[in-house]
Amino acid sequence: MGSLSWRQFTAILRKDIVMELRTREMLTSMGLYAILTMVVYQIALVEAGEGLDVRLVMPGLVWVAFIFMSMLGLNRSFVHEKDQGCLEALLLSPIDRPVIFLSKFTGNLLFLLVVEVLTLPVFAFLFLQGRAGFGGPLWMLALVLVGASIGISGIGTLLATISVNTTGKDIMLAVLFVPLQYPLLRAAVGATFAAVIGGPDAMASFWTWMGWIGGFDIIMVLAAFGLYEFVIEA
Amino acid sequence: MKRGYLAEVMLALGAVITTATFLLTFFWAPPSVYPDGRVDFAQKIFYFHVPVAEASFLVFFFTAYYGVRFLMTKRKEYDVKARIATEVTLFFVLLTMATGILWTRVEWNVWWQWEPRLTTYFIMTLLVIGYFVLRNSVDDEERRATYAAAFGILAFIDAPISFFITRVVQSTHPVVFKSGGLEPPMLATFIVGQIGMLMLGYAFYQLRLKEEELKERLEALKIGLGG
């Protein structure tokens, strides 16, 4: 049972990765979207001039880019399944519903992390050159990225499954996704700020926010996991 | 259909009690004063704003509760109950927002401030509105009920998280019951207002439910008559 579930899990995950490697559709569209967001940021910040310390707003800007980028990817990941009838096939096959959730969740998490890791240096290159460097060590930033992306993919996988079956898919995902993610985003921006700016209290505030991210991840991924079976069969 | 007239009685009682609360507020409860001795007239809205806000949280609980019941049984009545509970929540949420904004205008000199309590309540408002946006964009009845139940449960879990997360940040919203409490007449006025508001909440919910049931019977009759 355990090994069978594991094989089903890796089979679905491998299918998603292979398809992505062949079409490169999600990674290119998410990456391009992130770059375009940065162009928009440049416009947004242009009148503020050189006096603005971009590092102060950088955590917020980065997470705005990531949240919209992730919605794009989440939508893609289920539009394919639906258009090509893959979701029905998955449901017909004798696979445990939780396994479907876990493999889709892992795939979404993987793609999200890849794009985040690729675009963060671009952001630093475009906006942070000539500024003081990162206040904290890089592992802090890595921890925030992984922690927050788990929550984003967990709820996102459930909500994308819902929104793909509604009229106005993309808008629907945003309407449900953004308010539900508020606590996670707030904590992610707080933790990123502590990791980037550093300072004497940075460690304490970093761990407080990481605690919030961890708690949110556990509660929300469990809730999404429990609800998924009902949602996918509806 | 055998609920009797409890809902109607509650509606009448609730109306009388909330009206009485207005009278108590202005003629009995002593005015609150600033440290410098000036009278804080805007504080009077507290006797309306807080009962409405607390009613909104309580009714929202039933969205999640009936959501769980629906997912467990797949019975349509629980979906109707969850939807009506969310309708009543929306009503209370909008009243809370309206009264809160009036108060912040007087007290803080701005209509809106991204202050933790206000921010998180705004998020809850968006979740409640999102619930109806979701319902309206799914055609299949059972699918709509399942999605709404799932989202209602998630939203109810999310509301307290987002409420408490901002406690990490300093808030300027008053926390009356932590900061020394109220004088007895003030507390009594508040409790009376709260009871009246909860009665109204119960009555709105039950009466809307009755209306839905009547609608359904009417539809069934129409179909029965070949219409």
Side-chain angles (χ1 to χ4, degrees), chain A residues 205-229:
Chain A
S205 106
F206 176 77
W207 288 115
T208 310
W209 288 122
M210 279 313 292
W212 277 101
I213 293 176
F216 183 90
D217 282 356
I218 292 170
I219 296 173
M220 282 309 195
V221 173
L222 280 181
F225 180 77
L227 291 170
Y228 199 71
E229 191 171 342

Side-chain angles (χ1 to χ4, degrees), chain B residues 4-17:
Chain B
Y5 290 99
L6 185 58
E8 283 83 349
V9 172
M10 288 293 232
L11 183 67
L13 268 179
V16 170
I17 291 177

Side-chain angles (χ1 to χ4, degrees), chain B residues 145-158:
Chain B
T146 308
Y147 288 178
F151 185 70
I153 294 166
L154 278 184
F156 184 72
I157 301 174
D158 197 67

Side-chain angles (χ1 to χ4, degrees), chain A residues 118-163:
Chain A
L118 288 179
T119 47
L120 213 51
V122 180
F123 185 92
F125 175 78
L126 290 176
F127 287 100
L128 300 178
Q129 279 186 84
R131 312 259 173 194
F134 288 115
L138 270 181
W139 62 262
M140 290 167 83
L141 204 55
L143 213 55
V144 189
L145 281 187
V146 173
S149 302
I150 289 176
I152 292 177
S153 313
I155 302 223
T157 302
L158 178 78
L159 292 183
T161 312
I162 288 181
S163 66

Side-chain angles (χ1 to χ4, degrees), chain B residues 85-97:
Chain B
T86 321
E87 277 176 16
V88 179
T89 309
L90 182 62
F91 176 69
F92 281 136
V93 158
L94 294 179
L95 278 180
T96 307
M97 277 293 194

